[in-house]
Amino acid sequence: MNKFLTLLATFSLFCISLYSQPQFAVPTRIYVMHSSGNHLEMNDAGGGIIASPTASARQQMTMIPDGMGYYNIQAGSEPLFLALTGDWNTSFISDSTSSNAKYAIEKVSNTLVKLRCKANNRYLGTDSNSPNKSVYSDKNGEDIKHHWFFSETIDATLPVDTATWLINPSLVRQHFTGWGVSLCWWARMCGEWDDEKIDEIVTWLVSPTGLNYRFFRYNIGGGDDPENNNCTEHHMGEGKGLRAEMEGFKDFSEDEYHWDRDAGQRKIMLKIKEKRPDAVFEAFSNSAPYYMTYSGCVAGNTNAGKDNLRPEYYEEFAHYLVDVCKHYKEEYGIEFATLEPFNEPVTNYWGANGSQEGCHFDATSQVAFLKVLAPILEASGLNTVISASDETSVSQSVKTFNQYMDSNVLHLVGQWNTHTYGGNNADRCRISHLAYQANKPLWMSEVGAGGTGLSGNLSLAQKLIDDMRYIQPEAWIDWQYMEENNDQWCTIKGSFSEQTYAKVKNYYVRQQCTRFIKEGYNIVTSTDKRTLAAVNEAQDTLVLVILNEGSDMVHKIDLSFFSDLPSSKSRIKAYRTSESEDLARFRDYELQDNLLTVNIPTQSITTLVIPANAKDAAVDFSQPNMEYLIIPRHENTRAISADATGKVTIQNIDRTDDAQRWTIQEDGNAFTIKNAAGQLLTAQRATDNNTLVAQTHSADEQTFYIENVDPIYVKILSTLDSEYAFDLTEEKTASGTRVGLWTYNTSTSPTHRQWMLFPLPTDAPDAINELQNGQSREDNKENDGIYDLTGRRLYHHSNVREIRHQLLPGIYIIQHNGNSRKVYIK
C-alpha cells in the first residue's frame, strides 16, 4: 500500500511544485508543457505535436517510471507511448518496452527540463514554437525549443526563470565591420520600379536608423540558353519565380558583352553607392553561362552531384568573371572588394531544369579553377581578391578549407566565406580558428530560414547570435531583402509586379542587432548563449542584445567590468520587438550596484544601449588572487568544475560556485590551477589513462603550461607531457561532460581542446555576493531532495513550507539545508 510522507519544519517538503521539476516515483498524470507554452499532444495520426492548451485527453500524459531512470510518456489512458520513429520523427506507439519509447528527465534550470531518448541519447524538441508543429527526438538539447515543463493543470503559466550572467569587455571576439545582404534576386526585380520607391526601400536598407547595412553581394548572372535547347522554358520561374532568371552578359563564346543587361540589379547597386558611400561590394557567381556547361543549363548538371562547368572552359569563365568586375570599376566606379566564383559548390542539389542558377564543384575542381582564376585576376590591375568557398554548411566549409590547405591553394584566397544553413557551434569554432590561423578575413556570407511568424524570425536571430559568438565573422550577410510569399526569408514583403512593399516583423527583429551594433564595434564576451554584447571603439558605450524564444524571464547582468554607469535609468536606451511591439522603447529594467536587471517577455528580442566605460579586465597572471572561469570554446555558457569526489567536468556557469572559480598561480614557467574549494587540478597521465582530476592534497602532475592559440583562447598542457592538453571528452558539450587530457594536435582545428580564461570581478554586485556568501542559498540548493539508497534523487525541492510526495514503502534519504536523514516508510 502506498503511503504519504509529510515532513515539517527543518525537513519540510512540498506538494509537487511547479517551480522544481520532479522525478516521478509512481505513474503520474501530468501535462508536458513546451517552453513556448504549448502542450505536448497526440494528433489524430498518432504523431507527437505541440498544440495550444486545451482540456483534450490527448494532452494529458502519464509519466511511468521504469525504475532505471527512464520514463514512458503515455498519451492519457490510451496504451500508446511517445517514441522515436525512424531517425528523428516522434509518434505514439504500443510498445512501451522499446528503448525508443523511454525518456530520461534532465534538469535545465529551476523551471525547465530536457527529455532524452534512450535509443539515441538525443532530446525531444521542436523546430518551431508555433502550435501544431511536430516534435522530434533528434535534438541536441541546447535550444530553448528543446525544453519542457511539467504542469499539474492545463491552465498553468510557465514560471519566470532567472538568468544571471557576466560581460567581459577585454575578451574581444572580433572587430566587427558590419551587416549586409545579397542583391540576388530581389534587386533584379525592384530595380525596375519607380525611382521614388527605389529610393525609399534603399533608404530603409542602408540608413543608420534603418537596417544599417553596408555589405552587398552582387550576383554575376550566368544566363540560360535563350533558345532553351537543353532546358524547359521558365523552369526557374516555376520554382523560385521569374526573379531567379538572371541575365548573362554573353550568349555564346564569340559574342560581345551586352552590358545593357542586368539593369535592375545595377540600378539598385548604384543607388546603394549613392546613399551609402562606405558600402562594400562583393561579386559572386552561381553558375557559368549555359554554353560552358555539360548540361547546357545553368541550373546544374543532369546529375546534380556532378560538376557542370567543363574544364576546357575554366579560363574563359575566369575571364568572364574578371571582365564583369573590370566593367563595373571602369564604367561606374565600383570596385568589388572580393570575387567569389562558387556558391554552395559541394552539394547535390544543383540539377538541370532546377529552380535557380547553381553549379556543383568538387573540392578538387575548386582547386583547379582557383589556379586558373588567380593569375587572370592579378593581371587585371584590380584590387579585387578572391573569396571562397561559400559552402552551404559550416561543417562542409571546414572540410573544404582543409582541402585547400592540403592542395596548397589557400594563398590564392584573400577572404573566407561560409554560409550557415547547416552546422553546429563546434563547426563554427573550427572555421573561426582555421581562418585565424591562416590570417584570412572571415564572412558569414549567406543565411536565411523558414518558420512561422515571429517564432521563425527569432530562430534566425538565435542563429545570428551563434554565428557572431562562435564564427566571429567580420561581416554577417542576409540572403534576401524582399520576398513575395513569406515573412521569414526577408525583411520587407510585397509584390514585385505591383510595386507594393512593407516592413515585416523580421525587419524589426534584425534591427535590434544591426541598428545598434555598428561598424568598428568590438563583439565582446557574455556568458549567456541568448545574448550578444558589443562595445564601441571609444569604449564608452555597451550594447546588449537579449533573445527570448521561451517563457518570460528575468536577466540579471553583472556590469562590474564597467565604470561610470548611468545614475539615472533614463540614460539607458532600451528597445524591444515582440508580438505587439516593433523596436519599441521600454523601461522595464533597473540598475543598482553594477547589477542590471531586465524583465524579458516571452517571444521577444531586446536591445539596451548603455553609456558606460569599459574597464581593463584582461587575463593577468601577476595578480595571484584573481579568480577565473575556465570556459570551453565549443560552449561558452559552461565552465570547468570539480565535484567533491574530484571528478572534473563542465557545468552550467555559476560564478557563485566555489568549484568553478579557479586561481592560476605561476610555478616557474608553468602554473597551478586551484579552485575556491581548495582543489588542485591534477593530470593523471601515467596512472589513470589521461584523466584530469581535482585533489585537495599535493601530488605530481599539478602544473600546466598555458599557451595562447588566438586572442581569447588558450590551450592548457600537462608539464609531464606537453603534447597533452585539456580535452572535452568525445567532443561533447553537454553539462556533465568529463574534461580529460589528449594529444592536442590530432586535427587541424582542435577547438575542443581550447579554453577561455574569464577573469571574475572582485567587486561583484551585492546580489551576487549574497549568493556567494550563502545569504540567499535557499534558491540554490542543488542537492536538497529525496533519494533512494543508491543515491538516485527521486524528487528535488527548494525552500518552501511543506512538501507532500507519494512514496512506496522503503528507506529513503531526505536532504534539506545541507543535512540528511534516513527515513523508513512502511
Side-chain angles (χ1 to χ4, degrees):
M1 177 179 179
N2 293 343
K3 298 292 183 182
F4 283 92
L5 170 65
T6 304
L7 294 100
L8 303 174
T10 301
F11 290 101
S12 62
L13 301 177
F14 66 106
C15 297
I16 293 177
S17 168
L18 298 182
Y19 298 91
S20 181
Q21 296 293 274
Q23 306 284 323
F24 301 97
V26 296
T28 304
R29 185 68 64 86
I30 206 81
Y31 292 96
V32 181
M33 185 186 293
H34 188 247
S35 59
S36 62
N38 293 303
H39 283 209
L40 179 65
E41 180 177 302
M42 181 178 70
N43 65 17
D44 291 339
I49 61 170
I50 56 170
S52 300
T54 68
S56 167
R58 294 179 180 272
Q59 287 188 2
Q60 294 179 341
M61 301 293 155
T62 303
M63 303 297 296
I64 305 173
D66 70 353
M68 302 298 291
Y70 289 92
Y71 300 85
N72 293 123
I73 303 175
Q74 183 179 0
S77 58
E78 299 184 50
L80 295 171
F81 307 91
L82 193 72
L84 168 70
T85 50
D87 292 332
W88 55 79
N89 287 323
T90 304
S91 58
F92 288 83
I93 66 173
S94 59
D95 182 7
S96 65
T97 64
S98 168
S99 62
N100 287 27
K102 294 182 182 292
Y103 292 83
I105 300 172
E106 297 180 2
K107 180 179 177 181
V108 173
S109 66
N110 289 333
T111 300
L112 300 172
V113 300
K114 297 185 288 189
L115 297 170
R116 176 171 53 82
C117 181
K118 184 178 182 181
N120 63 358
N121 279 320
R122 303 291 285 177
Y123 294 90
L124 187 72
T126 68
D127 292 333
S128 170
N129 285 321
S130 301
N132 302 313
K133 296 298 183 181
S134 295
V135 298
Y136 304 98
S137 293
D138 68 334
K139 303 304 180 186
N140 61 20
E142 299 301 319
D143 193 298
I144 187 69
K145 294 189 289 296
H146 312 158
H147 300 163
W148 303 85
F149 175 75
F150 297 126
S151 166
E152 290 184 299
T153 62
I154 190 65
D155 56 354
T157 300
L158 281 167
V160 176
D161 211 348
T162 299
T164 302
W165 46 281
L166 306 97
I167 304 164
N168 188 315
S170 295
L171 296 175
V172 176
R173 293 179 171 276
Q174 75 263 44
H175 187 71
F176 191 57
T177 57
W179 311 90
V181 70
S182 169
L183 301 181
C184 173
W185 300 294
W186 66 272
R188 173 185 178 278
M189 307 299 288
C190 294
E192 298 175 357
W193 287 6
D194 297 339
D195 289 347
E196 182 178 342
K197 294 180 178 181
I198 291 174
D199 190 84
E200 182 170 49
I201 64 170
V202 171
T203 298
W204 288 359
L205 179 65
V206 306
S207 168
T209 58
L211 285 176
N212 192 34
Y213 283 2
R214 65 180 291 259
F215 288 87
F216 303 94
R217 304 186 71 225
Y218 171 82
N219 180 219
I220 300 177
D224 230 338
D225 181 357
E227 297 181 359
N228 299 298
N229 290 317
N230 295 287
C231 53
T232 304
E233 186 177 8
H234 296 310
H235 57 93
M236 295 181 195
E238 295 173 1
K240 298 290 174 65
L242 295 177
R243 60 188 179 141
E245 295 183 358
M246 299 299 297
E247 295 178 290
F249 292 105
K250 296 180 74 172
D251 291 335
F252 50 91
S253 290
E254 296 77 21
D255 195 9
E256 62 181 12
Y257 281 101
H258 299 279
W259 296 122
D260 57 319
R261 294 179 180 175
D262 199 27
Q265 188 178 195
R266 179 168 56 251
K267 187 170 185 176
I268 293 291
M269 186 163 61
L270 292 174
K271 178 60 71 171
I272 288 170
K273 182 175 181 289
E274 172 193 324
K275 286 184 168 289
R276 187 81 193 229
D278 65 338
V280 176
F281 296 98
E282 173 173 81
F284 79 101
S285 166
N286 286 328
S287 173
Y290 79 94
Y291 55 86
M292 300 183 189
T293 68
Y294 282 109
S295 67
C297 176
V298 293
N301 201 325
T302 52
N303 181 340
K306 297 292 186 181
D307 287 1
N308 201 29
L309 177 63
R310 294 176 179 269
E312 60 266 30
Y313 282 97
Y314 279 9
E315 184 174 348
E316 184 173 341
F317 181 46
H319 277 292
Y320 178 84
L321 296 175
V322 172
D323 287 350
V324 174
C325 292
K326 288 176 64 178
H327 174 75
Y328 272 97
K329 181 180 180 181
E330 293 167 356
E331 293 297 320
Y332 302 103
I334 292 179
E335 183 167 29
F336 294 108
T338 46
L339 170 62
E340 166 61 277
F342 313 120
N343 175 60
E344 301 180 0
V346 184
T347 58
N348 60 357
Y349 44 73
W350 304 129
N353 274 321
S355 60
Q356 68 178 81
E357 291 192 353
C359 188
H360 179 96
F361 284 86
D362 288 334
T364 54
S365 303
Q366 293 180 48
V367 168
F369 183 73
L370 289 175
K371 291 178 179 178
V372 174
L373 173 62
I376 293 172
L377 180 59
E378 184 176 3
S380 70
L382 296 170
N383 293 312
T384 305
V385 299
I386 296 172
S387 57
S389 67
D390 269 342
E391 300 291 0
T392 188
S393 73
V394 196
S395 57
Q396 182 58 54
S397 186
V398 170
K399 292 176 185 176
T400 301
F401 195 106
N402 285 324
Q403 288 169 310
Y404 279 24
M405 286 197 297
D406 293 342
S407 302
N408 196 30
V409 295
L410 201 57
H411 67 284
L412 303 178
V413 176
Q415 174 180 293
W416 195 260
N417 288 3
T418 185
H419 300 177
T420 54
Y421 291 107
N424 54 32
N425 288 341
D427 290 325
R428 289 179 168 94
C429 293
R430 292 185 184 104
I431 198 61
S432 176
H433 182 57
L434 287 168
Y436 175 80
Q437 284 188 310
N439 195 29
K440 302 296 179 187
L442 178 60
W443 280 15
M444 197 304 294
S445 52
E446 182 186 312
V447 74
T452 305
L454 177 60
S455 172
N457 301 156
L458 295 180
S459 290
L460 182 57
Q462 181 63 64
K463 182 172 285 191
L464 179 155
I465 289 172
D466 290 340
D467 289 345
M468 297 293 284
R469 290 174 66 92
Y470 295 100
I471 292 179
Q472 304 169 222
E474 293 186 9
W476 192 93
I477 317 293
D478 255 326
W479 169 224
Q480 288 292 295
Y481 178 44
M482 180 173 169
E483 289 267 7
E484 288 190 308
N485 300 312
N486 71 83
D487 60 358
Q488 300 296 303
W489 291 83
C490 60
T491 50
I492 65 171
K493 178 182 177 181
S495 167
F496 292 126
S497 61
E498 296 179 12
Q499 298 190 23
T500 59
Y501 54 95
K503 298 171 184 176
V504 294
K505 185 68 73 173
N506 208 23
Y507 185 96
Y508 304 102
V509 170
R510 196 76 79 255
Q511 267 191 305
Q512 296 278 164
C513 292
T514 63
R515 178 172 168 176
F516 304 105
I517 298 177
K518 304 174 184 179
E519 175 192 1
Y521 278 42
N522 284 332
I523 308 301
V524 301
T525 298
S526 57
T527 60
D528 187 287
K529 71 179 64 180
R530 297 156 292 198
T531 65
L532 192 60
V535 174
N536 68 339
E537 285 187 288
Q539 298 278 291
D540 62 7
T541 302
L542 169 66
V543 178
L544 300 179
V545 179
I546 306 171
L547 178 68
N548 185 13
E549 294 185 81
S551 59
D552 293 352
M553 287 199 70
V554 175
H555 281 250
K556 294 183 178 293
I557 307 148
D558 185 348
L559 299 181
S560 297
F561 285 140
F562 294 85
S563 63
D564 300 321
L565 291 164
S567 56
S568 169
K569 66 185 294 181
S570 64
R571 293 184 59 213
I572 297 176
K573 297 178 181 178
Y575 305 83
R576 184 162 58 217
T577 296
S578 65
E579 201 66 66
S580 60
E581 300 164 296
D582 295 329
L583 205 71
R585 294 290 297 269
F586 74 97
R587 293 174 61 85
D588 196 7
Y589 54 87
E590 295 292 338
L591 178 60
Q592 185 175 9
D593 296 325
N594 298 340
L595 187 70
L596 176 64
T597 301
V598 190
N599 295 317
I600 309 292
T602 180
Q603 295 288 286
S604 68
I605 183 168
T606 296
T607 304
L608 297 106
V609 182
I610 306 166
N613 290 321
K615 295 180 182 178
D616 181 5
V619 173
D620 185 356
F621 296 138
S622 69
Q623 297 189 35
N625 296 319
M626 181 178 282
E627 292 183 320
Y628 299 87
L629 298 172
I630 306 176
I631 298 173
R633 183 166 190 165
H634 280 194
E635 178 47 78
N636 294 162
T637 63
R638 310 207 204 287
I640 288 182
S641 181
D643 67 14
T645 69
K647 182 179 178 181
V648 179
T649 62
I650 56 170
Q651 301 290 342
N652 292 335
I653 288 175
D654 177 4
R655 59 84 55 86
T656 70
D657 186 353
D658 290 351
Q660 291 188 22
R661 301 196 319 276
W662 302 90
T663 55
I664 300 175
Q665 303 278 0
E666 291 189 65
D667 187 336
N669 63 345
F671 300 88
T672 58
I673 305 173
K674 184 178 183 179
N675 67 13
Q679 296 169 296
L680 282 158
L681 289 180
T682 308
Q684 293 187 330
R685 283 270 296 109
T687 60
D688 196 13
N689 193 27
N690 301 329
T691 300
L692 187 68
V693 298
Q695 300 179 158
T696 55
H697 59 275
S698 296
D700 294 334
E701 302 188 60
Q702 288 182 336
T703 57
F704 302 91
Y705 300 123
I706 299 176
E707 300 177 5
N708 285 93
V709 294
D710 73 14
I712 61 171
Y713 292 105
V714 301
K715 55 183 175 180
I716 306 175
L717 306 163
S718 167
T719 54
L720 181 68
D721 187 340
S722 60
E723 291 185 1
Y724 280 78
F726 285 18
D727 169 81
L728 282 175
T729 303
E730 297 179 354
E731 302 187 31
K732 293 181 179 179
T733 59
S735 182
T737 297
R738 285 294 296 266
V739 181
L741 295 159
W742 206 253
T743 307
Y744 181 77
N745 288 313
T746 56
S747 69
T748 57
S749 190
T751 46
H752 57 292
R753 299 184 185 122
Q754 296 174 359
W755 306 83
M756 179 195 299
L757 302 180
F758 189 111
L760 289 170
T762 56
D763 53 342
D766 288 345
I768 301 296
N769 277 325
E770 286 178 6
L771 282 174
Q772 189 163 307
N773 295 329
Q775 298 171 23
S776 299
R777 296 220 184 251
E778 304 305 329
D779 295 327
N780 199 35
K781 294 189 182 65
E782 294 297 322
N783 296 320
D784 282 4
I786 304 175
Y787 296 78
D788 63 20
L789 292 181
T790 69
R792 182 165 60 91
R793 186 162 64 188
L794 304 176
Y795 298 98
H796 172 265
H797 63 81
S798 57
N799 184 37
V800 292
R801 297 286 300 173
E802 181 183 61
I803 300 177
R804 291 174 61 85
H805 281 310
Q806 189 175 26
L807 297 172
L808 297 170
I811 298 174
Y812 298 87
I813 300 171
I814 311 298
Q815 180 161 316
H816 188 69
N817 284 342
N819 301 307
S820 62
R821 177 181 298 173
K822 287 184 180 179
V823 178
Y824 176 61
I825 305 298
K826 293 183 180 180

